[in-house]
Amino acid sequence: MSRPGAHWRIVHAERAALIADLRNLDDADWGTPSLCTGWTVHDVLAHLVNDATTTRLGFVAQLTAARFDFDALNQRGVEAERRAHPLDTLARFGEVADRTSSAPTPAATRYVEAIVHGEDIRRPLGIAHDYLQDAVLAAIAHQRKTPVSMGGGRELAAGRRLVATDAVTANGKPLALGEGPSVRGTAIDLLLWLSGRDIEPEAIS
């Protein structure tokens, strides 16, 4: 994953897996509130379409138009890409799923988008999915350094030791990041917590 551009292989695989998971949803499913506050499952999918089609220059122009308000920027993106029927939005996602355009952000943000938003959609629908652990851990490392105001969890992680109970080091011990009182959970739950998601209380201890 360290080779330039190697992250796209994982992102493309995650997009394809999500498309497969969503093909047979009914109308009620599409209107289900996602883990992303204020957005339905359909809204999150529209955001993923917008994310896949965003270019570096386009991102700068759109952020300027939104007066550097990331929430407003994201909402405009949803409104631009959300089709009248969810299956049309899903079809559009299929058309752009193999793109490699991106906002001018680190490669790890692609993992955050694919994995966190994948769970935003899947968990409320009761759909289970296994993510590549290296990608989840790279996303955690990124979110630990990213301010809450920009969608990360730097302030949450400050002064705490994050222990991924399902990831181990070379000597067989649970993977831990940081120092201080421990926050324990599976890697995916730690990532969601760092990304501001209101996950089940027992997921983090």
Side-chain angles (χ1 to χ4, degrees), residues 14 17-18 20-22 118-119 121-131 188:
E14 286 301 333
L18 185 61
D21 282 344
L22 301 183
E119 286 297 279
I121 290 173
R122 288 184 172 106
R123 288 203 180 195
L125 296 175
I127 299 173
H129 178 69
D130 291 327
Y131 299 91
I188 188 65

Side-chain angles (χ1 to χ4, degrees), residues 107-186:
T109 62
R110 302 302 94 213
Y111 297 145
V112 174
E113 286 286 326
I115 297 170
V116 174
H117 288 316
E119 286 297 279
D120 283 340
I121 290 173
R122 288 184 172 106
R123 288 203 180 195
L125 296 175
I127 299 173
H129 178 69
D130 291 327
Y131 299 91
L132 183 66
Q133 192 171 77
D134 284 350
V136 176
L137 296 178
I140 288 173
H142 176 77
Q143 293 297 76
R144 282 184 68 233
K145 300 175 183 177
T146 302
V148 170
S149 62
M150 296 183 67
R154 187 173 68 189
E155 293 85 346
L156 289 172
R160 289 173 171 165
R161 182 171 180 262
L162 308 186
V163 181
T165 56
D166 59 344
V168 297
T169 61
N171 60 8
K173 293 182 179 180
L175 181 69
L177 300 170
E179 299 294 336
S182 292
V183 177
R184 301 173 60 87
T186 62

Side-chain angles (χ1 to χ4, degrees), residues 21-203:
D21 282 344
L22 301 183
R23 284 190 178 127
N24 296 317
L25 297 190
D26 59 29
D27 290 342
D29 290 332
W30 286 109
T32 300
S34 74
L35 294 186
C36 194
T37 303
W39 283 358
T40 64
V41 164
H42 189 188
D43 291 332
V44 177
L45 180 64
H47 171 71
L48 287 172
V49 174
N50 180 250
D51 179 63
T53 57
T54 295
T55 63
R56 290 176 178 268
L57 291 178
F59 174 81
V60 173
Q62 292 162 17
L63 184 59
T64 302
R67 299 177 182 271
F68 298 93
D69 183 330
F70 283 96
D71 289 338
L73 173 70
N74 288 332
Q75 187 60 42
R76 289 184 181 187
V78 168
E79 292 167 0
E81 298 294 351
R82 192 180 192 275
R83 304 301 195 255
H85 196 283
L87 289 181
D88 293 331
T89 309
L90 185 62
R92 176 59 177 156
F93 190 43
E95 293 172 355
V96 303
D98 288 335
R99 287 179 60 109
T100 57
S101 58
S102 172
T105 54
T109 62
R110 302 302 94 213
Y111 297 145
V112 174
E113 286 286 326
I115 297 170
V116 174
H117 288 316
E119 286 297 279
D120 283 340
I121 290 173
R122 288 184 172 106
R123 288 203 180 195
L125 296 175
I127 299 173
H129 178 69
D130 291 327
Y131 299 91
L132 183 66
Q133 192 171 77
D134 284 350
V136 176
L137 296 178
I140 288 173
H142 176 77
Q143 293 297 76
R144 282 184 68 233
K145 300 175 183 177
T146 302
V148 170
S149 62
M150 296 183 67
R154 187 173 68 189
E155 293 85 346
L156 289 172
R160 289 173 171 165
R161 182 171 180 262
L162 308 186
V163 181
T165 56
D166 59 344
V168 297
T169 61
N171 60 8
K173 293 182 179 180
L175 181 69
L177 300 170
E179 299 294 336
S182 292
V183 177
R184 301 173 60 87
T186 62
I188 188 65
D189 285 332
L190 289 175
L191 175 58
L192 292 175
W193 178 71
L194 285 170
S195 302
R197 299 312 189 261
D198 185 16
I199 62 173
E200 293 296 323
E202 63 268 23

